[in-house]
Amino acid sequence: MGSVRGVGTLLRPAAWTLNQRWDITSWLARWFPKTPAKSVVALKTPIKVELVAGKTYRWCVCGRSKKQPFCDGSHFFQRTGLSPLKFKAQETRTVALCTCKATQKPPYCDGTHKSEPVQKAELGSPL
């Protein structure tokens, strides 16, 4: 009986220690911060695009995508803690999608890009 207990102790991997759990948590915190970064101004004018009915799109929330106004994954690789806004087009039509990232009606432009704070902001900087 004593040997069975000993075997269980010997086979328990070191990865199960409390310190290891903290290391995993810190790794996750680097990739998924608790406090997300602020969105940055990608452009100061909206982009007109034709949305196709029934198609799902991913609008860039962080402002760092090189494929504006859509997401290219930059939010993940730059560890912003932000995620794209996934939406489905209800009808085929041309719309203006926000690129200043300050709209109150995401992903659609509401004219906020015309405001003084947006116009004075540098591209790539948060508002």
Side-chain angles (χ1 to χ4, degrees), residues 55-74:
K55 186 173 178 184
T56 300
Y57 297 89
R58 292 176 36 218
W59 177 71
C60 172
V61 169
C62 73
R64 293 162 176 85
S65 173
K66 302 294 184 223
K67 296 182 178 181
Q68 288 296 327
F70 301 110
C71 176
D72 68 359
S74 294

Side-chain angles (χ1 to χ4, degrees), residues 31-103:
W31 283 96
F32 305 101
K34 289 182 182 177
T35 306
K38 289 188 175 184
S39 298
V40 297
V41 177
L43 297 170
K44 296 181 184 182
T45 57
I47 293 179
K48 289 186 180 181
V49 295
E50 182 170 341
L51 301 180
V52 177
K55 186 173 178 184
T56 300
Y57 297 89
R58 292 176 36 218
W59 177 71
C60 172
V61 169
C62 73
R64 293 162 176 85
S65 173
K66 302 294 184 223
K67 296 182 178 181
Q68 288 296 327
F70 301 110
C71 176
D72 68 359
S74 294
H75 67 279
F76 182 75
F77 295 107
Q78 294 183 29
R79 302 177 187 168
T80 64
L82 299 169
S83 297
L85 174 68
K86 190 174 169 182
F87 69 100
K88 190 178 222 176
Q90 300 302 310
E91 60 184 334
T92 299
R93 65 185 179 128
T94 301
V95 297
L97 295 182
C98 175
T99 59
C100 75
K101 310 305 172 187
T103 183

Side-chain angles (χ1 to χ4, degrees), residues 99-110:
T99 59
C100 75
K101 310 305 172 187
T103 183
Q104 297 299 306
K105 298 180 180 182
Y108 306 103
C109 174
D110 67 358

